[in-house]
Amino acid sequence: MYARSVGRYSLLSTYAIVAMLIAAMMGGCTPSGEVVSVTERPDSTEGGASAETELPTLPLTAFPAGYDTVRVRPFDLGKMWSIDRVPTSYFQDEYDVAASEEWREHAQYAAVRFSDTCSGGFVSNTGLVVTNHHCAREHITAVEEEGESLGQRGFVASTPGQERTTPNLFIDQLVEVRDVTDEIYEGVRRLRSYVRTERVNDLEERLNEEAKSEDSALRVTVEALYQGARYKAYTYRRYTDVRLVMAPEQQVGFFGGDADNFTYPRYNMDVAFYRAYEDGEPVTPEHYFEWSSTQGSEAGSAVFAVGTPGSTSRLTTVSQVKYERDHGIPNRLAFIEPRIEAMEQFLTNADAGDWPELRNTALSLKNSQKSLQGQLNGIDAYLLARRTANERALQDSIRSVDTLRQHYRGLTRDMEQIQNAKSGVEQRARAFNGFANTQVGSRVLTRAMYGYYIDQLNSSRGVGAQLDAARREADSIADWPVQVERTLIAQRLADVRAAYGPNDPTMQRLFDDKTPEEWAEELASESRLRTQDGAQRLYSQGYRDSDDPSVSLVEAIAPLYFSVVEQLQDFRASEQSINARLNQARLAVFGTEHIAPDAASTLRISDGRVRGYTTDSTEVPAYTTFGGMYERARTKNAAPWDLPERWQAAASDSTLRAAPLNLVSTVDISGGSSGSPLVNADLELVGVVFDSNQPALPNRFLYRTEQARAIAVDSRGIIAALRHVYNAEALVQELVDGYTNVAARP
């Protein structure tokens, strides 16, 4: 289950340091103790030097000698090609695919970003969209009617009138990509990271105003690529009327549960269908992926994943990877594990009742936990040796060219010094991991921080947009049961107390006569922040002037939190500057034709082949079948391998059992790629990406294909299930025929 890690990361900072909160929980930036000043140098569109300096472009094969033991390989840095810079000559040579401008545009316009966490694609000209079931899970439960449990029962709309409008769901279609590197750097030789951030924000605001004056459905984001060496503006058309058409039961959408997650062979029907509407009518996209329902793919055939992978760390330095191994990932695991335990302990209680959001959060956290553990296990000596060889190749290239040496020498050493300096406040930063996260933190503490922030904004001028955004985020925080709140509050306060120590004045004041457990009992039982309604009333009346028991606590903790976030920002700014400059040098040496940017939640096309692999002398096939799913259910004979009633009724259907269900390929994916259309050379849909196997998890740091695979639901299997299990003939007809005649739609 490879959706982007637990979603909806919020920002709570008077300094608007959004990225820091994301990084503190799931990303790659772990805090530090002192501020390292790093001199920043030139940035330009093509070479990384000043506007008047021309840097040479060297051929890809110009690696220095001396890498016999561990070879630098052409695709170590991945194959997540930006949709506007498809490597046409490589595609032609490797796959005999003529990736013309028309081919590229079709892939771009047919793909969509599903909400802000997943991928998807149009699959008919009546606005039908395919994505993963696990991407849609929370949206499926959001449209349940009284007494329903769509997670257990599944859903099929037999007619358009039965399609269910889904609140707070949108899909984005990319309509334009424009390079704006010059507008961010403007030929400036020395440009601090925070100045670039300000320019990005200003440009994004201006471009949005221009776009919305043309069409209110357009949205523009300005994103950094190559760790900030390039910037591009992405214009999206947003569809906000999105309706559920079909979703299978949870038992088959996540067959095998956490036990089978990130494994292969796999047997998941991880797919869901929605329809985009505009002005009450189905959208009629000019471009959509035709469904390959009969031929599908075959072992060895070329395939391409078109989606929006969230993040990778291949263009960072070796010292940053080592820091992730030693500190970053272990810290995030230490944050996740006790929270999973608290949620599962409550959910396994027979009297727990129905808490769908809590269940979804627990599943997402377990997914993140398993993903992070797989990444950590994979940062081995060989991976580091390959990354070191790659870094040495770049350094040797820099040293061999006077212009490059003048502008880019010593950067990896500077980065290593930053990583060494981080340990100073590491424990304090760990104590605040995910503190303002609107999805995984204590509702009481998160709402308290929002109250603190909202009151600060209320006393400031010119922050109306920030205030409105903060109120919307705060109002979206769902309630959780008191038992879970009590545990999460106690965990958080115990972490903070341990991080600052018994002699810290704030800790003495907070815990002199009250333990973390006693604080937790009081807040979980008495604070009005336990519920959405209570929080909204407090915000309206003035939170910090109220007598709520959370006020004194947050007023003591908030300054500590903001201090840690400030230090995170200082380190992050220095890291961003060094990474940007190193990648300017990398592009000057190797060019963009051969170097794919790290994932950044922007539309990419990744190439590969359908291919099984060998492990422990065992041949792992490229495909699984529904027959294999039924056999696994029979041999396991227990949850989470049990099958819904209608699937049991279809068990004797030989056509269904023979149909391919899942397949693996060497396409390059990461969190956020879930729901990506997997297409053939003719851009026909042959699968829907939903996961990777365990060996692919360390691909976050180095792209390898020996055993690493992306897993997809086979297009033929989806049709077989719709036809033989769900009797969804209207949907099958739409997928197979594409409905070129809109009037023919049932």
Side-chain angles (χ1 to χ4, degrees):
M1 187 170 64
Y2 218 161
R4 207 164 298 153
S5 299
V6 185
R8 293 205 307 276
Y9 290 93
S10 227
L11 282 218
L12 252 191
S13 167
T14 43
Y15 306 100
I17 319 171
V18 183
M20 291 307 91
L21 300 183
I22 300 174
M25 164 60 188
M26 304 302 294
C29 175
T30 309
S32 55
E34 56 186 281
V35 176
V36 175
S37 176
V38 178
T39 303
E40 297 189 40
R41 209 183 281 264
D43 296 312
S44 78
T45 308
E46 292 301 325
S50 60
E52 66 271 15
T53 303
E54 285 293 324
L55 296 178
T57 299
L58 306 181
L60 177 66
T61 54
F63 290 109
Y67 301 96
D68 296 332
T69 303
V70 179
R71 290 191 300 118
V72 174
R73 304 187 183 186
F75 300 112
D76 277 0
L77 305 180
K79 291 184 173 185
M80 294 181 179
W81 311 108
S82 185
I83 194 66
D84 61 315
R85 294 296 299 270
V86 174
T88 53
S89 59
Y90 161 61
F91 279 11
Q92 182 70 60
D93 294 343
E94 178 67 20
Y95 306 109
D96 195 26
V97 171
S100 64
E101 182 64 11
E102 292 76 16
W103 188 92
R104 186 201 64 76
E105 285 186 350
H106 184 73
Q108 173 184 320
Y109 295 133
V112 300
R113 183 165 60 190
F114 186 82
S115 185
D116 57 1
T117 57
C118 284
S119 305
F122 285 117
V123 288
S124 81
N125 75 339
T126 50
L128 191 66
V129 172
V130 68
T131 188
N132 286 154
H133 178 273
H134 77 259
C135 294
R137 192 165 50 213
E138 66 179 279
H139 303 294
I140 294 168
T141 57
V143 298
E144 290 180 348
E145 296 176 354
E146 187 72 26
E148 283 186 323
S149 179
L150 298 186
Q152 295 179 13
R153 294 174 47 197
F155 176 82
V156 179
S158 300
T159 65
Q162 294 178 356
E163 296 173 3
R164 296 196 181 178
T165 301
T166 308
N168 304 316
L169 176 60
F170 60 87
I171 62 171
D172 287 336
Q173 178 191 38
L174 180 64
V175 296
E176 183 185 38
V177 184
R178 182 162 68 87
D179 192 299
V180 293
T181 308
D182 284 340
E183 295 175 67
I184 299 300
Y185 285 113
E186 296 180 350
V188 176
R189 179 173 288 273
R190 297 175 184 271
L191 192 61
R192 290 273 180 200
S193 174
Y194 73 86
V195 177
R196 290 205 306 273
T197 300
E198 290 177 358
R199 291 185 178 184
V200 165
N201 293 338
D202 291 344
L203 178 60
E204 193 172 272
E205 183 177 355
R206 176 170 63 80
L207 293 178
N208 267 296
E209 290 176 357
E210 293 172 359
K212 290 181 180 180
S213 67
E214 175 187 340
D215 187 334
S216 61
L218 297 180
R219 304 284 191 279
V220 183
T221 65
V222 177
E223 305 289 353
L225 298 182
Y226 298 103
Q227 298 287 326
R230 297 286 189 275
Y231 285 87
K232 292 186 179 181
Y234 295 82
T235 302
Y236 298 92
R237 177 173 298 280
R238 175 163 293 184
Y239 298 100
T240 55
D241 185 354
V242 184
R243 306 182 189 181
L244 176 64
V245 176
M246 185 272 168
E249 302 87 342
Q250 174 81 8
Q251 293 113 300
V252 290
F254 194 30
F255 181 77
D258 184 62
D260 283 0
N261 198 16
F262 297 118
T263 68
Y264 190 79
R266 198 74 173 274
Y267 308 92
N268 273 33
M269 178 69 176
D270 195 350
V271 67
F273 291 94
Y274 282 80
R275 194 180 309 280
Y277 282 74
E278 196 169 35
D279 298 325
E281 296 294 328
V283 172
T284 56
E286 179 183 353
H287 299 274
Y288 62 91
F289 295 114
E290 293 187 4
W291 198 275
S292 182
S293 59
T294 55
Q295 295 191 358
S297 62
E298 61 182 21
S301 62
V303 287
F304 304 84
V306 189
T308 54
S311 66
T312 50
S313 302
R314 297 161 183 165
L315 298 177
T316 57
T317 68
V318 173
S319 64
Q320 288 176 290
V321 177
K322 289 180 178 178
Y323 190 88
E324 279 295 283
R325 177 196 63 187
D326 298 336
H327 305 289
I329 296 176
N331 288 348
R332 293 193 289 281
L333 285 169
F335 169 81
I336 289 173
E337 288 164 357
R339 282 152 182 83
I340 293 175
E341 183 179 348
M343 294 175 193
E344 290 194 326
Q345 185 175 358
F346 173 78
L347 291 170
T348 55
N349 188 322
D351 299 325
D354 190 20
W355 292 87
E357 175 138 357
L358 188 65
R359 291 184 185 278
N360 290 339
T361 300
L363 284 173
S364 296
L365 280 174
K366 292 184 75 171
N367 181 65
S368 296
Q369 179 188 37
K370 201 165 187 178
S371 176
L372 287 167
Q373 190 63 58
Q375 293 173 29
L376 181 61
N377 294 343
I379 306 178
D380 55 19
Y382 181 68
L383 184 149
L384 289 171
R386 283 268 291 272
R387 284 293 302 264
T388 299
N390 211 298
E391 192 167 284
R392 283 177 53 205
L394 176 60
Q395 290 172 323
D396 286 355
S397 296
I398 290 172
R399 283 192 290 266
S400 67
V401 180
D402 288 343
T403 307
L404 295 176
R405 186 170 61 251
Q406 177 185 356
H407 293 305
Y408 300 110
R409 64 185 177 189
L411 292 176
T412 55
R413 181 194 62 238
D414 293 342
M415 183 67 83
E416 188 172 358
Q417 291 174 351
I418 292 175
Q419 306 312 305
N420 291 335
K422 282 184 176 181
S423 58
V425 295
E426 180 180 307
Q427 187 176 7
R428 294 182 179 185
R430 186 166 62 243
F432 285 113
N433 268 353
F435 188 55
N437 187 301
T438 60
Q439 189 168 358
V440 302
S442 154
R443 274 29 187 164
V444 172
L445 294 182
T446 303
R447 286 170 176 152
M449 185 59 75
Y450 269 94
Y452 184 95
Y453 181 47
I454 288 168
D455 280 0
Q456 286 187 324
L457 292 177
N458 274 323
S459 63
S460 306
R461 294 183 179 181
V463 292
Q466 287 176 269
L467 181 59
D468 290 343
R471 282 301 301 264
R472 284 195 302 272
E473 286 187 0
D475 291 346
S476 72
I477 302 172
D479 297 340
W480 275 0
V482 171
Q483 299 96 310
V484 175
E485 276 294 327
R486 187 184 297 116
T487 302
L488 295 185
I489 294 170
Q491 287 175 349
R492 173 68 70 187
L493 296 184
D495 288 344
V496 172
R497 185 176 64 173
Y500 285 84
N503 296 325
D504 180 85
T506 303
M507 298 302 103
Q508 289 178 343
R509 187 167 69 253
L510 283 175
F511 302 111
D512 181 46
D513 59 355
K514 193 179 295 184
T515 66
E517 291 73 20
E518 288 169 338
W519 267 112
E521 179 62 37
E522 180 178 1
L523 296 181
S525 303
E526 300 177 18
S527 174
R528 281 168 281 175
L529 298 179
R530 289 172 301 165
T531 65
Q532 284 181 326
D533 291 343
Q536 288 168 5
R537 285 194 296 270
L538 278 181
Y539 296 154
S540 299
Q541 298 165 4
Y543 166 69
R544 293 170 71 182
D545 291 331
S546 74
D547 60 355
D548 193 86
S550 64
V551 173
S552 61
L553 179 70
V554 78
E555 287 193 328
I557 289 180
L560 304 178
Y561 167 71
F562 289 130
S563 175
V564 167
V565 174
E566 253 192 296
Q567 292 180 44
L568 282 170
Q569 184 188 36
D570 289 332
F571 278 99
R572 183 61 171 168
S574 295
E575 288 178 323
Q576 287 175 335
S577 299
I578 293 174
N579 281 329
R581 292 173 60 199
L582 279 171
N583 284 287
Q584 289 162 357
R586 180 176 277 115
L587 296 182
V589 173
F590 303 118
T592 59
E593 176 74 11
H594 303 286
I595 304 295
D598 266 323
S601 299
T602 58
L603 188 61
R604 308 297 177 85
I605 185 164
S606 169
D607 61 285
R609 293 188 184 276
V610 176
R611 184 176 295 160
Y613 57 99
T614 303
T615 176
D616 298 329
S617 301
T618 301
E619 292 293 328
V620 181
Y623 297 91
T624 63
T625 66
F626 284 102
M629 180 185 73
Y630 280 113
E631 180 61 18
R632 191 158 175 80
R634 184 188 68 80
T635 56
K636 291 291 186 179
N637 194 31
W641 297 274
D642 52 334
L643 289 171
E645 184 176 335
R646 67 173 127 199
W647 280 85
Q648 295 177 30
S652 61
D653 190 316
S654 59
T655 302
L656 175 67
R657 294 181 73 97
L661 175 51
N662 291 162
L663 73 148
V664 286
S665 71
T666 59
V667 295
D668 190 8
I669 67 169
S670 76
S673 294
S674 289
S676 296
L678 188 72
V679 299
N680 61 20
D682 296 323
L683 296 181
E684 297 169 328
L685 190 142
V686 298
V688 183
V689 173
F690 71 90
D691 206 354
S692 74
N693 64 354
Q694 281 279 354
L697 293 174
N699 275 14
R700 177 180 183 86
F701 304 102
L702 181 78
Y703 174 68
R704 292 182 287 184
T705 60
E706 291 87 348
Q707 294 181 348
R709 295 293 183 269
I711 312 173
V713 191
D714 196 290
S715 62
R716 295 164 293 186
I718 295 170
I719 293 296
L722 292 175
R723 178 167 281 153
H724 295 274
V725 179
Y726 294 97
N727 299 315
E729 278 301 325
L731 183 54
V732 169
Q733 183 183 355
E734 181 171 4
L735 291 170
V736 172
D737 296 338
Y739 279 107
T740 54
N741 180 3
V742 179
R745 179 170 171 259

